[in-house]
Amino acid sequence: MKPLVAETREELAAARADIRDWPLALVPTMGALHEGHRSLIRRARKIADVVAVSIFVNPLQFGPGEDLDRYPRTLDIDLRVCADEGVDLVFAPTLDVMYPAAPEVRVSSGRMGGIVEGVHRPGHFDGVLTVVTKLLNLVRPTYAVFGEKDAQQLALIRRMVRDLDLPVEIVGCPTVREPDGLALSSRNRYLSEAERRTALSLSAALRAGAGLAGEGPSAVLRAAQGVLDEAAEADPPLSPDYLSLVDPVTFTEVADGHTGPAVLVVAGRVGATHLIDNVSLSFSAEVAGAASTAPATVFAVKES
């Protein structure tokens, strides 16, 4: 069964009125849907009676020289994916519908938006939080479902919802990967065969770091950095942007002596393509640290 497609605010409002008080889960996307998005939709179906997907390439989160113009736009294919997954409602606004005028007021991502990924993409998270706030206000979901691959984005959305008292529950879903470990991303289609081989160094670095989590944060970072250093000499090379071990809530860096959860985050460019990845760890007080998941299964492809 095909989903109802709303392209205007009026069409969305009419569709939302028919839903009344049924629990609704929203999966915000920029389209080019892949298996990772399907896993988000399936999780949404488990927790709500009605599932909505938004498809909108948000210009506010792209900086100068980034890939806004070439970002894949595959609405017809995306609608077929939504139909396959039993989505009830798709909100697919145009730029003029989403932003009737250039926004003077935007949501600030604050300190958290200016560190780690934010250092390399200034203003990116302000754009993300602004469009997510608009979508939450327009769709009024009970739940909003996001992937854990964008770990800093997820942490910021959760903080925004808490700080601004937005009436929605944020649900995170595990990263879905290719069998070789590469995290699924709409940008993977940009990669040539040779670039894709180099891109595997990101997940390899995370595996190497997770494998030494029992020896503490410094060992984790050294092991992961060693893989990235080798990839920087590959053909084509990886151009690393950052490698950090951070608190999953605040995204501040953690060091030896840290106990509790942490996230090892990495990003880099292969050719013109920017890719990110992460893995969650947990360090205990009894030993220098312990991985929350055995390295052999850290990157198993999972569906929620």
PDB file of all heavy atoms in Angstrom, residues 254-280:
ATOM      1  N   VAL A 254      37.342  12.377  26.729  1.00  0.00           N
ATOM      2  CA  VAL A 254      37.653  11.652  27.955  1.00  0.00           C
ATOM      3  C   VAL A 254      39.099  11.187  27.883  1.00  0.00           C
ATOM      4  O   VAL A 254      39.686  11.072  26.802  1.00  0.00           O
ATOM      5  CB  VAL A 254      36.699  10.458  28.163  1.00  0.00           C
ATOM      6  CG1 VAL A 254      35.251  10.922  28.167  1.00  0.00           C
ATOM      7  CG2 VAL A 254      36.909   9.385  27.092  1.00  0.00           C
ATOM      8  N   ALA A 255      39.683  10.926  29.056  1.00  0.00           N
ATOM      9  CA  ALA A 255      41.088  10.536  29.132  1.00  0.00           C
ATOM     10  C   ALA A 255      41.227   9.341  30.058  1.00  0.00           C
ATOM     11  O   ALA A 255      40.247   8.835  30.621  1.00  0.00           O
ATOM     12  CB  ALA A 255      41.929  11.714  29.631  1.00  0.00           C
ATOM     13  N   ASP A 256      42.465   8.875  30.239  1.00  0.00           N
ATOM     14  CA  ASP A 256      42.720   7.760  31.152  1.00  0.00           C
ATOM     15  C   ASP A 256      42.156   8.096  32.527  1.00  0.00           C
ATOM     16  O   ASP A 256      42.268   9.231  33.007  1.00  0.00           O
ATOM     17  CB  ASP A 256      44.220   7.489  31.250  1.00  0.00           C
ATOM     18  CG  ASP A 256      44.759   6.811  29.995  1.00  0.00           C
ATOM     19  OD1 ASP A 256      43.988   6.103  29.329  1.00  0.00           O
ATOM     20  OD2 ASP A 256      45.943   7.011  29.677  1.00  0.00           O
ATOM     21  N   GLY A 257      41.545   7.108  33.147  1.00  0.00           N
ATOM     22  CA  GLY A 257      40.873   7.316  34.415  1.00  0.00           C
ATOM     23  C   GLY A 257      39.374   7.476  34.270  1.00  0.00           C
ATOM     24  O   GLY A 257      38.642   7.405  35.258  1.00  0.00           O
ATOM     25  N   HIS A 258      38.909   7.681  33.026  1.00  0.00           N
ATOM     26  CA  HIS A 258      37.472   7.811  32.796  1.00  0.00           C
ATOM     27  C   HIS A 258      36.786   6.478  33.046  1.00  0.00           C
ATOM     28  O   HIS A 258      37.272   5.421  32.655  1.00  0.00           O
ATOM     29  CB  HIS A 258      37.222   8.253  31.352  1.00  0.00           C
ATOM     30  CG  HIS A 258      35.778   8.221  30.955  1.00  0.00           C
ATOM     31  ND1 HIS A 258      34.889   9.207  31.315  1.00  0.00           N
ATOM     32  CD2 HIS A 258      35.057   7.303  30.231  1.00  0.00           C
ATOM     33  CE1 HIS A 258      33.696   8.926  30.834  1.00  0.00           C
ATOM     34  NE2 HIS A 258      33.770   7.776  30.174  1.00  0.00           N
ATOM     35  N   THR A 259      35.642   6.527  33.707  1.00  0.00           N
ATOM     36  CA  THR A 259      34.815   5.338  33.882  1.00  0.00           C
ATOM     37  C   THR A 259      33.433   5.595  33.307  1.00  0.00           C
ATOM     38  O   THR A 259      32.962   6.736  33.275  1.00  0.00           O
ATOM     39  CB  THR A 259      34.677   4.955  35.363  1.00  0.00           C
ATOM     40  OG1 THR A 259      34.093   6.050  36.086  1.00  0.00           O
ATOM     41  CG2 THR A 259      36.025   4.614  35.969  1.00  0.00           C
ATOM     42  N   GLY A 260      32.811   4.543  32.842  1.00  0.00           N
ATOM     43  CA  GLY A 260      31.492   4.666  32.246  1.00  0.00           C
ATOM     44  C   GLY A 260      31.558   4.671  30.730  1.00  0.00           C
ATOM     45  O   GLY A 260      32.577   4.355  30.119  1.00  0.00           O
ATOM     46  N   PRO A 261      30.444   5.045  30.089  1.00  0.00           N
ATOM     47  CA  PRO A 261      30.376   4.971  28.626  1.00  0.00           C
ATOM     48  C   PRO A 261      31.211   6.039  27.941  1.00  0.00           C
ATOM     49  O   PRO A 261      31.475   7.112  28.501  1.00  0.00           O
ATOM     50  CB  PRO A 261      28.887   5.160  28.336  1.00  0.00           C
ATOM     51  CG  PRO A 261      28.378   5.943  29.514  1.00  0.00           C
ATOM     52  CD  PRO A 261      29.174   5.474  30.690  1.00  0.00           C
ATOM     53  N   ALA A 262      31.607   5.744  26.731  1.00  0.00           N
ATOM     54  CA  ALA A 262      32.313   6.690  25.877  1.00  0.00           C
ATOM     55  C   ALA A 262      32.032   6.300  24.434  1.00  0.00           C
ATOM     56  O   ALA A 262      31.567   5.193  24.147  1.00  0.00           O
ATOM     57  CB  ALA A 262      33.813   6.686  26.150  1.00  0.00           C
ATOM     58  N   VAL A 263      32.289   7.218  23.526  1.00  0.00           N
ATOM     59  CA  VAL A 263      32.111   6.955  22.101  1.00  0.00           C
ATOM     60  C   VAL A 263      33.406   7.308  21.378  1.00  0.00           C
ATOM     61  O   VAL A 263      33.937   8.418  21.543  1.00  0.00           O
ATOM     62  CB  VAL A 263      30.946   7.780  21.502  1.00  0.00           C
ATOM     63  CG1 VAL A 263      30.753   7.419  20.031  1.00  0.00           C
ATOM     64  CG2 VAL A 263      29.670   7.542  22.275  1.00  0.00           C
ATOM     65  N   LEU A 264      33.916   6.364  20.618  1.00  0.00           N
ATOM     66  CA  LEU A 264      35.079   6.608  19.761  1.00  0.00           C
ATOM     67  C   LEU A 264      34.552   7.067  18.412  1.00  0.00           C
ATOM     68  O   LEU A 264      33.859   6.319  17.717  1.00  0.00           O
ATOM     69  CB  LEU A 264      35.909   5.330  19.613  1.00  0.00           C
ATOM     70  CG  LEU A 264      37.201   5.446  18.798  1.00  0.00           C
ATOM     71  CD1 LEU A 264      38.171   6.435  19.418  1.00  0.00           C
ATOM     72  CD2 LEU A 264      37.848   4.060  18.649  1.00  0.00           C
ATOM     73  N   VAL A 265      34.837   8.316  18.051  1.00  0.00           N
ATOM     74  CA  VAL A 265      34.305   8.903  16.819  1.00  0.00           C
ATOM     75  C   VAL A 265      35.447   9.204  15.867  1.00  0.00           C
ATOM     76  O   VAL A 265      36.544   9.596  16.283  1.00  0.00           O
ATOM     77  CB  VAL A 265      33.491  10.186  17.105  1.00  0.00           C
ATOM     78  CG1 VAL A 265      32.222   9.859  17.857  1.00  0.00           C
ATOM     79  CG2 VAL A 265      34.323  11.206  17.887  1.00  0.00           C
ATOM     80  N   VAL A 266      35.179   9.040  14.585  1.00  0.00           N
ATOM     81  CA  VAL A 266      36.197   9.258  13.571  1.00  0.00           C
ATOM     82  C   VAL A 266      35.540   9.837  12.331  1.00  0.00           C
ATOM     83  O   VAL A 266      34.369   9.578  12.050  1.00  0.00           O
ATOM     84  CB  VAL A 266      36.922   7.931  13.235  1.00  0.00           C
ATOM     85  CG1 VAL A 266      35.972   6.923  12.574  1.00  0.00           C
ATOM     86  CG2 VAL A 266      38.151   8.170  12.358  1.00  0.00           C
ATOM     87  N   ALA A 267      36.280  10.644  11.608  1.00  0.00           N
ATOM     88  CA  ALA A 267      35.783  11.195  10.348  1.00  0.00           C
ATOM     89  C   ALA A 267      36.967  11.478   9.437  1.00  0.00           C
ATOM     90  O   ALA A 267      38.091  11.724   9.892  1.00  0.00           O
ATOM     91  CB  ALA A 267      34.984  12.478  10.580  1.00  0.00           C
ATOM     92  N   GLY A 268      36.701  11.441   8.149  1.00  0.00           N
ATOM     93  CA  GLY A 268      37.738  11.748   7.170  1.00  0.00           C
ATOM     94  C   GLY A 268      37.147  11.872   5.788  1.00  0.00           C
ATOM     95  O   GLY A 268      35.962  11.596   5.571  1.00  0.00           O
ATOM     96  N   ARG A 269      37.993  12.291   4.886  1.00  0.00           N
ATOM     97  CA  ARG A 269      37.577  12.457   3.499  1.00  0.00           C
ATOM     98  C   ARG A 269      38.357  11.507   2.614  1.00  0.00           C
ATOM     99  O   ARG A 269      39.566  11.350   2.759  1.00  0.00           O
ATOM    100  CB  ARG A 269      37.796  13.902   3.039  1.00  0.00           C
ATOM    101  CG  ARG A 269      36.926  14.892   3.786  1.00  0.00           C
ATOM    102  CD  ARG A 269      37.104  16.324   3.326  1.00  0.00           C
ATOM    103  NE  ARG A 269      36.297  17.208   4.158  1.00  0.00           N
ATOM    104  CZ  ARG A 269      35.019  17.485   3.939  1.00  0.00           C
ATOM    105  NH1 ARG A 269      34.419  16.957   2.886  1.00  0.00           N
ATOM    106  NH2 ARG A 269      34.347  18.277   4.750  1.00  0.00           N
ATOM    107  N   VAL A 270      37.640  10.882   1.708  1.00  0.00           N
ATOM    108  CA  VAL A 270      38.248  10.064   0.661  1.00  0.00           C
ATOM    109  C   VAL A 270      37.827  10.696  -0.651  1.00  0.00           C
ATOM    110  O   VAL A 270      36.631  10.724  -0.969  1.00  0.00           O
ATOM    111  CB  VAL A 270      37.797   8.593   0.735  1.00  0.00           C
ATOM    112  CG1 VAL A 270      38.543   7.776  -0.307  1.00  0.00           C
ATOM    113  CG2 VAL A 270      38.023   8.031   2.133  1.00  0.00           C
ATOM    114  N   GLY A 271      38.779  11.251  -1.369  1.00  0.00           N
ATOM    115  CA  GLY A 271      38.418  12.071  -2.509  1.00  0.00           C
ATOM    116  C   GLY A 271      37.655  13.281  -2.019  1.00  0.00           C
ATOM    117  O   GLY A 271      38.092  13.996  -1.127  1.00  0.00           O
ATOM    118  N   ALA A 272      36.475  13.489  -2.582  1.00  0.00           N
ATOM    119  CA  ALA A 272      35.647  14.627  -2.173  1.00  0.00           C
ATOM    120  C   ALA A 272      34.561  14.237  -1.181  1.00  0.00           C
ATOM    121  O   ALA A 272      33.715  15.065  -0.837  1.00  0.00           O
ATOM    122  CB  ALA A 272      35.002  15.262  -3.413  1.00  0.00           C
ATOM    123  N   THR A 273      34.592  12.997  -0.703  1.00  0.00           N
ATOM    124  CA  THR A 273      33.500  12.484   0.118  1.00  0.00           C
ATOM    125  C   THR A 273      33.867  12.485   1.589  1.00  0.00           C
ATOM    126  O   THR A 273      34.874  11.894   1.998  1.00  0.00           O
ATOM    127  CB  THR A 273      33.120  11.058  -0.324  1.00  0.00           C
ATOM    128  OG1 THR A 273      32.807  11.068  -1.715  1.00  0.00           O
ATOM    129  CG2 THR A 273      31.917  10.557   0.463  1.00  0.00           C
ATOM    130  N   HIS A 274      33.028  13.126   2.394  1.00  0.00           N
ATOM    131  CA  HIS A 274      33.205  13.196   3.848  1.00  0.00           C
ATOM    132  C   HIS A 274      32.418  12.069   4.493  1.00  0.00           C
ATOM    133  O   HIS A 274      31.212  11.929   4.252  1.00  0.00           O
ATOM    134  CB  HIS A 274      32.703  14.552   4.354  1.00  0.00           C
ATOM    135  CG  HIS A 274      32.718  14.691   5.844  1.00  0.00           C
ATOM    136  ND1 HIS A 274      33.878  14.844   6.571  1.00  0.00           N
ATOM    137  CD2 HIS A 274      31.708  14.713   6.757  1.00  0.00           C
ATOM    138  CE1 HIS A 274      33.585  14.951   7.849  1.00  0.00           C
ATOM    139  NE2 HIS A 274      32.278  14.875   7.995  1.00  0.00           N
ATOM    140  N   LEU A 275      33.092  11.269   5.315  1.00  0.00           N
ATOM    141  CA  LEU A 275      32.470  10.121   5.958  1.00  0.00           C
ATOM    142  C   LEU A 275      32.730  10.164   7.455  1.00  0.00           C
ATOM    143  O   LEU A 275      33.794  10.606   7.903  1.00  0.00           O
ATOM    144  CB  LEU A 275      33.022   8.816   5.381  1.00  0.00           C
ATOM    145  CG  LEU A 275      32.799   8.585   3.875  1.00  0.00           C
ATOM    146  CD1 LEU A 275      33.617   7.395   3.401  1.00  0.00           C
ATOM    147  CD2 LEU A 275      31.322   8.378   3.574  1.00  0.00           C
ATOM    148  N   ILE A 276      31.757   9.682   8.245  1.00  0.00           N
ATOM    149  CA  ILE A 276      31.896   9.615   9.689  1.00  0.00           C
ATOM    150  C   ILE A 276      31.545   8.220  10.169  1.00  0.00           C
ATOM    151  O   ILE A 276      30.867   7.456   9.474  1.00  0.00           O
ATOM    152  CB  ILE A 276      30.994  10.651  10.397  1.00  0.00           C
ATOM    153  CG1 ILE A 276      29.513  10.358  10.122  1.00  0.00           C
ATOM    154  CG2 ILE A 276      31.345  12.064   9.968  1.00  0.00           C
ATOM    155  CD1 ILE A 276      28.559  11.244  10.914  1.00  0.00           C
ATOM    156  N   ASP A 277      32.011   7.892  11.381  1.00  0.00           N
ATOM    157  CA  ASP A 277      31.689   6.598  11.970  1.00  0.00           C
ATOM    158  C   ASP A 277      31.967   6.677  13.465  1.00  0.00           C
ATOM    159  O   ASP A 277      32.619   7.614  13.940  1.00  0.00           O
ATOM    160  CB  ASP A 277      32.515   5.482  11.320  1.00  0.00           C
ATOM    161  CG  ASP A 277      31.839   4.119  11.395  1.00  0.00           C
ATOM    162  OD1 ASP A 277      30.880   3.963  12.177  1.00  0.00           O
ATOM    163  OD2 ASP A 277      32.281   3.200  10.670  1.00  0.00           O
ATOM    164  N   ASN A 278      31.491   5.696  14.214  1.00  0.00           N
ATOM    165  CA  ASN A 278      31.727   5.681  15.659  1.00  0.00           C
ATOM    166  C   ASN A 278      31.444   4.299  16.211  1.00  0.00           C
ATOM    167  O   ASN A 278      30.791   3.471  15.573  1.00  0.00           O
ATOM    168  CB  ASN A 278      30.857   6.724  16.362  1.00  0.00           C
ATOM    169  CG  ASN A 278      29.391   6.352  16.390  1.00  0.00           C
ATOM    170  OD1 ASN A 278      28.934   5.601  17.251  1.00  0.00           O
ATOM    171  ND2 ASN A 278      28.630   6.857  15.419  1.00  0.00           N
ATOM    172  N   VAL A 279      31.934   4.059  17.425  1.00  0.00           N
ATOM    173  CA  VAL A 279      31.604   2.849  18.164  1.00  0.00           C
ATOM    174  C   VAL A 279      31.512   3.215  19.637  1.00  0.00           C
ATOM    175  O   VAL A 279      32.268   4.062  20.134  1.00  0.00           O
ATOM    176  CB  VAL A 279      32.654   1.739  17.932  1.00  0.00           C
ATOM    177  CG1 VAL A 279      34.021   2.109  18.481  1.00  0.00           C
ATOM    178  CG2 VAL A 279      32.190   0.418  18.549  1.00  0.00           C
ATOM    179  N   SER A 280      30.566   2.604  20.340  1.00  0.00           N
ATOM    180  CA  SER A 280      30.380   2.858  21.768  1.00  0.00           C
ATOM    181  C   SER A 280      31.237   1.903  22.587  1.00  0.00           C
ATOM    182  O   SER A 280      31.326   0.702  22.289  1.00  0.00           O
ATOM    183  CB  SER A 280      28.906   2.682  22.150  1.00  0.00           C
ATOM    184  OG  SER A 280      28.110   3.663  21.510  1.00  0.00           O
TER     185      SER A 280
END
